[in-house]
Amino acid sequence: MEEVQRHSVHTLIFRSLKRTHDMFVSNQGALPEIDDKLEKIRKSIKARDSYSLVFDRVARAESNRKCVEIANNGRKNSLSNPEKVLYITNGQDNPINVNANTAIVAADTINKNNFDIPSSTAMVAMSGIRPSVNSTSNVQLIPKKAPAIPKPAWHAPWKLARVISGHLGWVRCIAVEPQNEWFATGAGDRVIKIWDLASGKLKLSLTGHVSTVRGLAVSTKHPYLFSCGEDRQVKCWDLEYNKVIRHYHGHLSAVYSMALHPTIDVLATSGRDSTARIWDMRTKANIHTLTGHTNTVASVVAQAVNPQIITGSHDSTIRLWDLAAGKSVCTLTNHKKSVRSIVLHPTLYMFASASPDNIKQWRCPEGNFIQNISGHNAIVNCMAVNADGVLVSGGDNGTMFFWDWRTGYNFQRFQAPLQPGSMDSEAGIFAMAFDQSGSRLITAEADKTIKIYKEDEEASEETHPVNWRPEILKRRKF
């Protein structure tokens, strides 16, 4: 059996091209000359086939224009010579005789030539003929009103009520107990402290972390406190025995934020390894590892309805996650700088995100953008919002801005007072939270103190009016 010689695909293609060229090269100069007459007929047939409707409309519009011109000329002639007779041709050899005094335009003759003049001008005296106007164009345009800027609601100003000292390092996180009796703080001294909310006295200190405590969460259904820190550890504390009962291992670097799901026993954590992890609270199993961010995931929040998990990252994006599938369903790229804080509104189906460029509001579940809240020109580390619509943002330079949630109006701003003996560089606010009633605001700061703010009970709309100037807002926004 004779062996078949194998060739490369490149060689076979060129051989095929050569055979094709040799086959048809003899016919190259034998093509017939182009007939101009046939070419024009071909183009006219193709144009008629594709654009016949356009051609017909152009012809009808031209006929209507000529008819109106003839009528106007007849009107001029009738004024100068009443006995003169006009001749209006219908496109054929036989003219139509029209008396100049009446100048009646025969509607049936015009319709035979597809002149499409409206019936209102078909039988009109010459002195009253005007160019036809489409009736639909006579609709009066209603002037569009300028977008209305809603007036912000009045909120009482806030003032400092108590300063609590006790930590030996920067206070980095806060969690308020569901019964509103105590709150917990974590700091750079690696200690978790539990304080009485009413008196501000220390109730308990929990030690176990070997680095800064960065996140805390209190369960609403179990006597559990969860903590995470820069030592990559996620711990579950049993508050009946005041000791650690579970560890959740999996993060490859510091853990910066955590959140508990409100209805199911699931814990969400996020950190410097650019991931958010979902844990089964009881079995310690890592259910999902939410990957997609390209930098530190600084904030994670959880809610009962979709999207159940929302994360904000230093890669300037916000991601909305499907908890069942463990996949990202939406990525919001509106921010231009790192997103350090995300907060859910307690009653509305909305959330806000903070970045050094501005604060943005979004509507769930698709993450529709609502508005920008601009003015806090600092690195915004934290935010909090209560049911009354008071949004608070805390900056790295110790500034606090109070906003009306609905309108984004800044009704109060001030610099948090420093603890005596602290340096100016220790003016940062790292975390803040409202208590369960929304009447007290707790802040964790870089001067190693915890500050509690309350509304000024003596303030009223007369003493602290809303300085609302919509004309300035219009120039600024529109």
Side-chain angles (χ1 to χ4, degrees), residues 264-465:
I264 57 179
D265 292 338
V266 161
L267 173 69
T269 58
S270 66
R272 206 166 60 194
D273 57 2
S274 305
T275 65
R277 295 177 184 265
I278 309 299
W279 311 89
D280 187 324
M281 188 188 298
R282 297 179 179 179
T283 65
K284 302 178 289 184
N286 187 185
I287 303 171
H288 294 302
T289 300
L290 308 179
T291 59
H293 285 293
T294 58
N295 208 327
T296 300
V297 183
S299 181
V300 60
V301 294
Q303 60 182 5
V305 290
N306 291 328
Q308 298 185 38
I309 303 294
I310 305 172
T311 56
S313 171
H314 286 198
D315 63 6
S316 307
T317 65
I318 302 164
R319 285 182 179 259
L320 283 57
W321 303 86
D322 181 358
L323 186 57
K327 294 180 179 179
S328 173
V329 296
C330 182
T331 302
L332 309 176
T333 59
N334 300 46
H335 281 290
K336 299 299 181 287
K337 296 184 179 180
S338 59
V339 181
R340 293 173 180 255
S341 178
I342 292 178
V343 63
L344 295 170
H345 195 283
T347 56
L348 302 178
Y349 197 26
M350 298 170 66
F351 69 94
S353 59
S355 177
D357 50 10
N358 48 39
I359 300 168
K360 296 181 185 291
Q361 287 181 349
W362 314 86
R363 180 179 289 112
C364 298
E366 288 88 4
N368 299 322
F369 174 73
I370 302 300
Q371 66 176 342
N372 278 326
I373 301 178
S374 301
H376 199 167
N377 300 318
I379 298 174
V380 182
N381 286 324
C382 53
M383 289 190 302
V385 61
N386 64 8
D388 294 332
V390 176
L391 174 67
V392 192
S393 55
D396 213 33
N397 56 0
T399 54
M400 292 176 63
F401 280 55
F402 292 78
W403 315 85
D404 177 50
W405 175 275
R406 188 171 64 95
T407 60
Y409 169 71
N410 177 216
F411 68 89
Q412 187 182 6
R413 63 178 71 178
F414 58 79
Q415 178 83 31
L418 277 175
Q419 182 79 346
S422 299
M423 297 183 293
D424 291 340
S425 59
E426 293 182 326
I429 301 173
F430 291 126
M432 58 174 51
F434 282 101
D435 69 346
Q436 302 300 333
S437 66
S439 61
R440 284 173 285 192
L441 175 67
I442 309 168
T443 63
E445 305 194 8
D447 61 356
K448 306 173 187 176
T449 64
I450 302 147
K451 296 183 175 68
I452 299 179
Y453 298 85
K454 290 183 179 180
E455 289 183 340
D456 189 353
E457 297 178 355
E458 298 177 355
S460 64
E461 291 193 51
E462 288 76 20
T463 59
H464 294 79

Side-chain angles (χ1 to χ4, degrees), residues 37-55:
K37 186 177 180 181
L38 292 177
E39 187 69 14
K40 288 181 180 179
I41 294 174
R42 184 183 70 83
K43 288 182 178 179
S44 64
I45 292 173
K46 188 172 182 180
R48 173 60 61 180
D49 180 60
S50 301
Y51 304 107
S52 59
L53 293 175
V54 178
F55 291 160

Side-chain angles (χ1 to χ4, degrees), residues 214-234:
R214 294 295 295 266
L216 291 171
V218 184
S219 174
T220 58
K221 298 185 291 183
H222 311 285
Y224 294 158
L225 170 69
F226 295 86
S227 64
C228 63
E230 294 180 3
D231 52 7
R232 298 178 293 176
Q233 296 186 35
V234 181

